[in-house]
Amino acid sequence: MRVVGGSSSHRLAFAVARELGVPVTPVSFEKIQGGFPDGERYVRLTDDVRDRRVVLLQSTHPDGMVVELLILQDALREGGAREVITFVPYFAYGRQDRVFEPGEALSARALARAVSAGSDRVLTLGLHNRETLKHFTCPVEDVSGMPAIARHFQGRVDVVVAPDDGAVRHAEEVASALGVPWDFLEKTRLDALTVKLTPKSLPVAGKRVGLVDEVISTGGTIAAAVKELRAQGAASVIAACLHGLFAGSALEKLQACDEVACADTLEGPMTKFSVAPEIAAALRRL
Ligand code: R5P
């Protein structure tokens, strides 16, 4: 087995390869110094992949990373790889998982089909809605990243809380790994930037709370949850997610948290733990 990392998952690819004890096939991303002047992506494998089983790791955010994923798949096929396993640590567009308004795209389906086309198998991690798996046209599996959040919380939280009912399965999984109770808040999204939380009577007074979601985008969901938890007397709140997008002023909104942490499915200043062990374990099972 060989691991190839696209530029959105470069460090993660090395971490996964280390876990698996296999080499990373290096990729050159620049045809000429500074890349193409028109901004188009370029990839060239600088090692032989003929007859190899190759794992290609690439998150599909930002948009250019989708193109890079597709051309990396093409390079692997061109290079004679025996099997191309595409692992998408953060599957962007997963939240447009249905047509909300007439005329809209089902973007998650469009992306699922595109990613499948060059793959023998696809794996995702912390997919927003597992119903999306039905749109892939090759064998596919979604891997949980919640054990990584549980490791980050170990010994530091007394209760795990989901900011909405969509994240309940995540809170349950993290809480059960830690052997602590869990609960959730009820969320109504008023518009793309504003959410309202219906208070629940949570037993959080004096407790250290671990707040869990699969993605933080504008930060609105977590900010509203922290406000509510503080109002109910939480002693501390650590907010953790797998995919830290932190769009716009998200980090400012999250200042009421004692800590904000995300995994390395996307790399940024809040990346504080790795899902490499979960990815490697899923690949070992294949
Ligand atoms: C929603 O269903 C997701 O699980 C997240 O709660 C949501 O997408 C987070 O978005 P934001 O950070 O913009 O509130």
Side-chain angles (χ1 to χ4, degrees), residues 24-54:
V24 172
T25 295
V27 181
S28 164
F29 294 101
E30 289 196 347
K31 190 176 176 75
I32 49 171
Q33 191 95 34
F36 284 123
D38 55 13
E40 285 184 0
R41 322 284 318 173
Y42 168 85
V43 300
R44 184 170 66 86
L45 304 173
T46 57
D47 212 353
D48 190 14
V49 293
R50 186 153 305 279
D51 296 328
R52 299 285 182 191
R53 189 179 206 208
V54 182

Side-chain angles (χ1 to χ4, degrees), residues 93-216:
Y93 293 92
R95 289 176 292 164
Q96 182 72 23
D97 54 355
R98 60 193 170 94
V99 172
F100 299 91
E101 304 272 351
E104 281 182 355
L106 208 167
S107 313
R109 178 180 60 200
L111 220 60
R113 287 176 178 165
V115 170
S116 303
S119 311
D120 293 295
R121 177 182 294 276
V122 175
L123 290 97
T124 58
L125 183 134
L127 191 61
H128 173 66
N129 178 357
R130 285 187 170 163
E131 283 287 302
T132 297
L133 295 176
K134 68 176 184 248
H135 299 306
F136 288 82
T137 56
C138 63
V140 62
E141 182 190 335
D142 182 57
V143 175
S144 173
M146 290 302 144
I149 294 187
R151 285 196 295 277
H152 189 70
F153 281 170
Q154 189 69 52
R156 304 168 67 208
V157 307
D158 307 311
V159 56
V160 178
V161 174
D164 58 22
D165 55 358
V168 160
R169 68 183 166 103
H170 304 315
E172 257 186 301
E173 190 181 342
V174 173
S176 116
L178 295 172
V180 300
W182 64 272
D183 210 330
F184 73 101
L185 297 161
E186 273 155 359
K187 174 175 95 172
T188 316
R189 185 170 280 283
L190 304 178
D191 58 44
L193 297 174
T194 329
V195 296
K196 175 174 150 254
L197 283 185
T198 310
K200 285 199 74 189
S201 176
L202 294 166
V204 295
K207 298 272 168 59
R208 300 171 302 165
V209 178
L211 197 50
V212 174
D213 210 343
E214 95 269 357
V215 56
I216 298 178

